[in-house]
Amino acid sequence: MAENYTDDEQLENIKIWLKENGRPIMVGVFLSVCLLGGWKGIQLQKKEQSMEASTLYMQLYDSLADGDAEKAAKITTALQDSFQSTPYSKIAALKMAHYSYKAGISGDAEKNLNWVIQNATSEIMVAVAQIRLTRLYLAQEQYPDALLLLNKNYPESFTSLVEELKGDVYIKIKNIPQAKEAYGKSISFSSDNNEYLIMKLNDAISLESTE
């Protein structure tokens, strides 16, 4: 049978319940408010950091356009040191590496590309840096280093390009069978016009027949 309480009894029961449970409830409410405030504070801090990093990146862009490599290098370092968690630090390192490579400063290019590889959380950005560093090693005839990079894990969309570069390395070290295999894989994974890849494969076959 359901119990019937008078208004006074119900009020007294509520008082007793609040006395027993009120403190945990208030603590829970307090913690919830603190967590919400802390989360909003973190989001605000991230937004402010992103805006500062964006401003620095635009300064980097202007510096490179003006040919001021020294200033651009300092800005890149500032982004890496103080804004590492933002994507601007990685994009700046990639841009600075490209500029350094074109200027013939391969050491600086290698340093920035390695920084991206070690610090980027995006697998696409890591893959881009690895591919660019592979091409740098190819140009410098550092073929073992190039193959080491090409044998790392890549997103599937990079497979054709990775295999093509493997073929290029194998051609340089005169491993024609491996070059043929790599070019063949590159063609099979290519989604674009692969006439250029077919030409590379045919050149490898011609080289094999002359050995």
Side-chain angles (χ1 to χ4, degrees):
M1 179 182 296
E3 296 180 355
N4 296 316
Y5 294 103
T6 65
D7 290 343
D8 289 340
E9 288 174 331
Q10 289 178 344
L11 182 59
E12 187 63 28
N13 287 337
I14 291 172
K15 287 180 179 179
I16 292 170
W17 187 87
L18 285 174
K19 185 176 181 180
E20 295 175 349
N21 301 281
R23 186 181 296 273
I25 289 174
M26 291 304 296
V27 170
V29 170
F30 176 75
L31 288 175
S32 296
V33 170
C34 288
L35 288 171
L36 180 61
W39 182 83
K40 287 184 176 180
I42 291 171
Q43 295 305 309
L44 179 60
Q45 184 182 27
K46 286 183 176 180
K47 184 177 180 180
E48 290 174 349
Q49 278 192 332
S50 181
M51 290 177 66
E52 289 181 52
S54 173
T55 300
L56 276 177
Y57 178 76
M58 290 308 300
Q59 292 175 8
L60 167 70
Y61 186 90
D62 292 340
S63 298
L64 291 177
D66 294 337
D68 193 342
E70 183 177 353
K71 183 179 179 181
K74 289 180 179 178
I75 294 171
T76 301
T77 300
L79 282 165
Q80 292 171 349
D81 290 344
S82 302
F83 301 95
Q84 180 180 331
S85 62
T86 70
Y88 292 103
S89 61
K90 288 81 174 179
I91 298 170
L94 288 174
K95 193 166 188 65
M96 195 67 207
H98 178 68
Y99 181 90
S100 298
Y101 178 74
K102 288 181 67 178
I105 314 172
S106 57
D108 287 351
E110 182 178 1
K111 180 185 72 175
N112 278 300
L113 290 171
N114 272 318
W115 188 89
V116 175
I117 292 168
Q118 293 165 10
N119 291 279
T121 55
S122 163
E123 65 173 3
I124 297 296
M125 196 166 287
V126 171
V128 168
Q130 289 178 168
I131 290 296
R132 292 186 182 182
L133 187 54
T134 296
R135 285 177 167 150
L136 187 152
Y137 286 152
L138 262 170
Q140 294 182 326
E141 300 182 356
Q142 295 176 238
Y143 304 128
D145 291 328
L147 281 177
L148 191 64
L149 277 175
L150 292 170
N151 285 324
K152 291 183 178 294
N153 292 326
Y154 287 85
E156 187 175 345
S157 58
F158 283 77
T159 303
S160 180
L161 177 57
V162 168
E163 292 298 330
E164 178 188 357
L165 289 171
K166 281 183 181 179
D168 293 345
V169 175
Y170 287 130
I171 287 291
K172 292 292 185 180
I173 62 177
K174 302 187 184 306
N175 188 335
I176 307 305
Q178 289 279 49
K180 286 169 51 185
E181 181 180 349
Y183 288 141
K185 286 181 180 178
S186 180
I187 292 169
S188 65
F189 280 96
S190 176
S191 58
D192 300 323
N193 188 336
N194 54 22
E195 289 183 7
Y196 181 61
L197 294 173
I198 292 173
M199 182 180 71
K200 284 190 172 186
L201 176 58
N202 288 336
D203 287 344
I205 293 170
S206 298
L207 285 172
E208 187 177 46
S209 64
T210 59
E211 289 186 347

